[in-house]
Amino acid sequence: MKKSGYLVAILAVSAVLSAADGKFQLSVDSIMRGPKLVGYPPSALRWSGDSRRLYFEWRRRDDDETSTWVVEAGATGLRQLNDDERKAAPPAFGVWDRLHRRVLIVQEGDIALIDSVAGTRQLIARTAAFESNPRWARNETAITFSRDNCLYLVPLTGEGDRLIQLNEAGPKKRDPQPTDSQKYLEQEEGKLIEAVKEAEKRRKKNEERAEKGKLPFLELTERQTASDLVLAHDERYLYALVSERATNAKRADVPRYVTKSGYTETTPSRTKAGDSQDRRQLAILDLRTRKQLWASLEAGETPEPERGVTEPQTSGRPPKPRREVQWSTPIVSEDGKYAVSTVRSADNEERWLVVVDPETGKTRVLDHVKDEAWVLDGWRSSRGFLPGDHRFWFLSEREGWMHLYIIDVADPAAVARQLTRGSWEVNSAEVAPDGRTFLITSSEEHPGEQHVYLLPVEGGERTKVSSMIGSSEPRLSPDGKMLGIIYSSSNRPPELFLMPNRPGAKAVQVTVSPSEEWLSYRWLEPQLLTFAARDGAQVFARLYTPEMLGAERRPLRPGVVFIHGAGYLQNAHKYWSTYYREYMFHHLLASKGYVVVDVDYRGSAGYGRDWRTAIYQHMGGKDLEDVVDAAGYLARAQGVDPKRIGVYGGSYGGFLTLMAMFTTPDVFAAGAALRPVTDWAHYSHGYTSQILNEPQDDSEAYRRSSPIYFADKLTGALLICHGMADTNVHFQDSVRLVQRLIELRKENWDVAVYPVEDHTFEYETSWADEYKRILKLFEENLLVTS
């Protein structure tokens, strides 16, 4: 104990000296300064069409907002753009042409065209209404865009003021229906009076002429809106993604108590799991014949499950009705011949890639995935046609890992060809400007690393380009010679680097985001390890020990298990963590003698389909076992006292913390549940229904997965922290649990509320208050000497 006291005194003196000479002081207040300390990462890389300049978004620590920056391809001339330059610079988000020179953007509700080489900005459409969804048309000599539920076509050849309206969309108008008496009088009047007959003939002729000159229109019901409109490149067919509002759905709004008005106000939020959901359908309008129809996925187009994928388990669940599906906006080939759409079953267990026949609305299945749990698709942007080709590429988890596939849409007998394979994940893919190469990032080297590879579109050997250990997110220049890379390591936040596009090339750092104060500290590369779970699976984790910081362990040998949020997220890796405040907090805990482990439990990202779906129908099952086994690892391999282990986490991590404290009370002495889900029936439908199905269909899955049903088992010390303005996990979740704890007469718990905070805290004072409470919880409950 004397030795420990000397150590505390030495650390205290060191902290004072560090503060005096401007070096970093390891404390909760200092850590929770967040971006003011570690900086804001650069983002949204985009090259000029001549490959000479790289633009990006960046916010320096002391700036009030994010700005646009530019650097020359040779990593020189870094500067911030002024307001006038920024307007003519390539935007962070837009629709590029094939040569990656011109880009269409929506700017303050208007459509503009930016020439990234000339540095010019041309306003295409500027009205009081709001324009959206710009796309290239007529071999990139015109554009289309939406306005007031209409689609417009605008040539770029000097006739920019001539708008061609292609369709009108809106609620179907209902004419008043005459009574039988009114019909009789109308018929008799036409027989008796010649002038009435002539007037009726003229009316019909005028209607026929008006109909011929009338623009095609899309007929929708009052609950339907066209959320996206796509004109095929041959200008024959219009594809409309139509959203149909759900009936009787009830939205859970979030009250805000600290407001300018002084009155309680509400923020619109979401429905809860199992409630009625909006439906997405695909309408097709033939602009020549004016015929409208709806795309359909026929029952006969649901082939047998892929080899190795089993039928859905239905034990404990009633039979399902005929399956509903959700459509996506189609991607149309350059010649307009083929439109490919993604269709997902409403129960999340099937996904189809289909070619839509615009004449009949029928579909031909290109690829079908069926999963007994739920289908995980690659990001919507990670798919498309090869330039000037009928081959379609996409990411899919159909073989158990996320990989790249390609299929010839023009060949009815074609099957998808797998271009990458192995027990690793393709995280992103895009077609290089040459149209002959894919630029991909993957975890092929190691589950905890993300590297850049080049892959021929015909398949074959991959060429690894990046070499820095960590994560590299690339943006290839249009000429294919240079790479802009957002790179980070486990102890350095993301920065912009430039390097030639060849293996072994040197990467030059362009930005420096953290403060000199932060850089002065010796931040650790946490030890990345695996431990065996009870079923033999190898679980990846990050480890922090006092010895790594040159400190000594407390004689009482305390330990802490950290649980990351989101569920499907990876945190045990070799690059910068989105939980960087926790990363620094773990340094603080280790400096105080704690051993900390940060675990990628079952359900985490990066480890394939089986790892991801192990939580199906039971959150708080396999994932919690991994957390408990992490505590066992601390005791077994790190010498931690098994009676002095704490646990904490936020969001999904807060949920698992509650499950740990309630269902394994003998394992954890104290736990801090931050913004936790306490009852999955109260969370969002999109996330929860794919894992637990719907509560009215699978109530048992919800009961065994919701901490509120196990609150009676609490024995350890519990801290609950929640932002009252949380629009993700509603504050109501914690309120209901608090009421349950009161009714159960539980005493060893506390709650801290943050009136102005949403799901992710904004104010450093809130962060600091929360983590001081967590530290106090561990100090008071893991270091007791009774």
Side-chain angles (χ1 to χ4, degrees):
M1 289 297 293
K2 284 185 177 181
K3 207 171 187 181
S4 178
Y6 293 149
L7 176 61
V8 172
I10 292 171
L11 289 174
V13 171
S14 176
V16 171
L17 293 175
S18 295
D21 63 11
K23 291 184 178 181
F24 180 76
Q25 180 180 356
L26 193 62
S27 68
V28 172
D29 281 319
S30 187
I31 288 169
M32 296 305 157
R33 286 177 286 169
K36 292 181 181 178
L37 181 68
V38 304
Y40 297 88
S43 63
L45 307 186
R46 65 268 191 197
W47 288 91
S48 60
D50 56 10
S51 302
R52 294 175 58 186
R53 298 175 300 280
L54 179 65
Y55 297 84
F56 60 98
E57 302 301 295
W58 192 34
R59 178 178 174 182
R60 292 177 299 187
R61 295 182 311 281
D62 297 327
D63 290 346
D64 293 331
E65 57 185 21
T66 300
S67 302
T68 300
W69 291 69
V70 65
V71 63
E72 302 296 322
T76 60
L78 174 67
R79 66 185 182 88
Q80 182 179 353
L81 301 186
N82 61 39
D83 290 340
D84 290 336
E85 291 174 318
R86 190 175 188 179
K87 289 180 181 178
F93 303 99
V95 182
W96 289 85
D97 64 7
R98 288 189 297 270
L99 295 178
H100 199 87
R101 171 170 178 154
R102 299 172 301 166
V103 57
L104 300 171
I105 63 169
V106 178
Q107 201 168 64
E108 297 178 352
D110 299 321
I111 306 296
L113 184 151
I114 305 292
D115 188 317
S116 67
V117 176
T120 58
R121 176 179 178 272
Q122 176 186 355
L123 200 60
I124 303 298
R126 183 180 184 182
T127 67
F130 185 85
E131 285 87 20
S132 62
N133 299 324
R135 288 183 173 90
W136 293 99
R138 292 184 179 174
N139 198 28
E140 299 183 346
T141 64
I143 72 166
T144 63
F145 62 87
S146 302
R147 183 175 67 214
D148 292 334
N149 282 328
C150 302
L151 190 70
Y152 293 84
L153 177 67
V154 182
L156 302 177
T157 56
E159 301 178 6
D161 59 342
R162 181 168 66 90
L163 302 183
I164 303 175
Q165 186 175 346
L166 294 178
N167 78 296
E168 295 178 347
K172 182 180 179 180
K173 296 180 180 178
R174 297 173 181 249
D175 296 327
Q177 297 298 313
T179 64
D180 291 341
S181 173
Q182 293 166 355
K183 290 178 183 178
Y184 171 78
L185 291 177
E186 184 177 331
Q187 291 168 2
E188 290 302 306
E189 200 72 2
K191 294 175 184 178
L192 289 171
I193 309 299
E194 193 65 30
V196 173
K197 288 183 182 180
E198 292 299 322
E200 181 65 13
K201 288 180 182 179
R202 288 194 300 270
R203 187 186 67 81
K204 287 183 177 180
K205 285 183 178 180
N206 289 337
E207 282 186 354
E208 289 173 1
R209 277 194 292 266
E211 188 65 29
K212 288 180 180 178
K214 194 176 181 181
L215 294 168
F217 68 93
L218 198 65
E219 188 176 284
L220 303 176
T221 68
E222 293 182 2
R223 290 191 295 112
Q224 293 177 334
T225 56
S227 56
D228 200 0
L229 301 169
V230 179
L231 178 67
H233 301 294
D234 60 5
E235 299 181 24
R236 170 75 184 273
Y237 296 102
L238 176 78
Y239 298 91
L241 186 65
V242 176
S243 296
E244 183 173 323
R245 249 182 3 263
T247 58
N248 302 322
K250 188 173 183 178
R251 191 178 65 188
D253 294 335
V254 174
R256 291 185 293 115
Y257 297 97
V258 180
T259 64
K260 183 179 180 180
S261 67
Y263 289 85
T264 300
E265 300 173 3
T266 58
T267 300
S269 188
R270 52 165 172 78
T271 60
K272 299 191 178 187
D275 206 347
S276 300
Q277 301 297 309
D278 291 354
R279 184 183 178 193
R280 295 191 308 274
Q281 301 165 278
L282 184 63
I284 307 164
L285 182 63
D286 188 325
L287 299 178
R288 294 181 191 171
T289 66
R290 306 187 180 199
K291 177 184 176 183
Q292 177 183 330
L293 47 82
W294 296 90
S296 62
L297 186 71
E298 302 298 327
E301 293 177 334
T302 55
E304 292 302 312
E306 306 295 342
R307 185 166 52 188
V309 181
T310 62
E311 291 286 346
Q313 294 177 349
T314 58
S315 57
R317 300 171 56 191
K320 294 182 181 177
R322 191 168 185 267
R323 180 160 298 190
E324 290 186 3
V325 297
Q326 299 279 16
W327 290 79
S328 69
T329 302
I331 299 174
V332 184
S333 60
E334 290 182 9
D335 59 8
K337 290 183 178 180
Y338 300 100
V340 176
S341 181
T342 304
V343 188
R344 291 181 64 94
S345 61
D347 63 8
N348 302 299
E349 291 177 358
E350 294 189 74
R351 187 275 292 149
W352 300 264
L353 278 180
V354 298
V355 180
V356 182
D357 182 349
E359 293 186 5
T360 65
K362 294 183 178 180
T363 52
R364 170 165 56 90
V365 174
L366 297 174
D367 185 72
H368 171 242
V369 178
K370 190 171 185 177
D371 196 297
E372 64 181 8
W374 73 96
V375 173
L376 180 71
D377 234 357
W379 295 112
R380 184 172 298 179
S381 59
S382 295
R383 61 188 56 170
F385 283 97
L386 293 177
D389 204 331
H390 290 151
R391 287 179 293 175
F392 192 84
W393 62 273
F394 59 96
L395 296 179
S396 175
E397 203 186 43
R398 57 184 291 179
E399 294 294 327
W401 298 81
M402 191 63 72
H403 280 294
L404 180 61
Y405 294 80
I406 194 168
I407 188 170
D408 187 351
V409 174
D411 181 2
V415 294
R417 185 161 60 94
Q418 188 172 349
L419 298 185
T420 61
R421 64 177 66 248
S423 299
W424 45 273
E425 306 261 88
V426 173
N427 297 98
S428 67
E430 63 177 298
V431 181
D434 62 10
R436 302 190 301 270
T437 310
F438 283 110
L439 184 72
I440 68 173
T441 62
S442 79
S443 59
E444 181 176 0
E445 186 84 4
H446 185 279
E449 298 181 30
Q450 298 293 330
H451 285 287
V452 181
Y453 295 83
L454 296 174
L455 171 67
V457 297
E458 306 299 336
E461 293 297 321
R462 293 175 295 283
T463 301
K464 181 184 172 188
V465 180
S466 61
S467 58
M468 298 182 290
I469 296 176
S471 171
S472 295
E473 302 174 24
R475 180 64 62 199
L476 186 62
S477 62
D479 63 9
K481 294 181 180 179
M482 293 293 296
L483 280 170
I485 290 178
I486 301 295
Y487 167 77
S488 71
S489 62
S490 58
N491 64 348
R492 286 293 180 270
E495 302 286 7
L496 172 61
F497 286 72
L498 281 166
M499 65 173 286
N501 181 26
R502 62 174 184 270
K506 181 181 179 181
V508 178
Q509 185 172 344
V510 174
T511 60
V512 178
S513 298
S515 64
E516 291 184 7
E517 177 192 357
W518 188 86
L519 291 170
S520 70
Y521 189 81
R522 187 177 65 87
W523 298 103
L524 301 175
E525 293 184 5
Q527 182 182 346
L528 190 60
L529 54 85
T530 62
F531 63 84
R534 64 191 65 185
D535 62 358
Q538 292 297 306
V539 182
F540 277 83
R542 276 180 161 188
L543 181 68
Y544 304 77
T545 67
E547 292 82 2
M548 293 178 181
L549 291 171
E552 293 185 8
R553 301 193 182 196
R554 294 255 185 117
L556 297 177
R557 299 176 291 128
V560 170
V561 178
F562 170 67
I563 312 174
H564 69 70
Y568 191 67
L569 178 144
Q570 186 178 10
N571 203 48
H573 47 57
K574 299 180 183 180
Y575 43 94
W576 191 245
S577 173
T578 54
Y579 291 91
Y580 63 89
R581 290 181 179 87
E582 288 76 5
Y583 164 78
M584 293 186 285
F585 184 62
H586 296 162
H587 280 70
L588 178 61
L589 288 176
S591 73
K592 291 178 175 292
Y594 291 78
V595 179
V596 183
V597 66
D598 170 359
V599 57
D600 272 351
Y601 50 84
R602 234 67 67 100
S604 297
Y607 306 102
R609 180 263 171 201
D610 290 347
W611 195 268
R612 172 180 67 82
T613 62
I615 61 173
Y616 179 57
Q617 291 187 293
H618 191 186
M619 292 190 278
K622 283 290 184 182
D623 45 2
L624 179 59
E625 288 180 2
D626 292 340
V627 170
V628 172
D629 291 343
Y633 163 81
L634 287 178
R636 181 181 66 257
Q638 293 297 325
V640 168
D641 185 342
K643 300 296 183 182
R644 303 179 187 277
I645 299 178
V647 61
Y648 85 103
S651 194
Y652 196 98
F655 147 71
L656 276 181
T657 296
L658 291 177
M659 291 295 277
M661 295 298 294
F662 294 166
T663 67
T664 59
D666 58 328
V667 176
F668 298 102
L674 320 178
R675 53 198 182 277
V677 176
T678 66
D679 188 340
W680 287 106
H682 288 254
Y683 193 56
S684 71
H685 178 87
Y687 181 92
T688 315
S689 65
Q690 64 184 359
I691 304 174
L692 299 181
N693 306 306
E694 295 187 1
Q696 59 268 34
D697 295 335
D698 202 351
S699 58
E700 184 55 36
Y702 279 78
R703 290 193 186 99
R704 65 170 167 256
S705 300
S706 297
I708 199 167
Y709 290 98
F710 304 97
D712 60 312
K713 304 295 194 301
L714 176 66
T715 58
L718 174 63
L719 170 66
I720 304 168
C721 299
H722 212 137
M724 296 176 72
D726 194 333
T727 56
N728 183 356
V729 180
H730 296 164
F731 179 57
Q732 182 190 30
D733 260 52
S734 287
V735 172
R736 293 177 67 246
L737 177 61
V738 165
Q739 180 62 26
R740 181 72 177 137
L741 292 170
I742 292 170
E743 292 173 355
L744 290 168
R745 302 181 185 275
K746 296 294 180 179
E747 298 179 357
N748 198 23
W749 60 274
D750 200 358
V751 62
V753 301
Y754 300 87
V756 300
E757 296 291 4
D758 203 330
H759 195 60
T760 300
F761 284 8
E762 179 180 355
Y763 298 97
E764 62 179 84
T765 50
S766 300
W767 282 106
D769 181 90
E770 183 177 54
Y771 277 76
K772 285 178 181 177
R773 292 176 186 274
I774 297 171
L775 181 59
K776 182 180 179 182
L777 174 78
F778 292 155
E779 294 282 272
E780 291 181 349
N781 291 279
L782 303 185
L783 300 177
V784 291
T785 57
S786 57

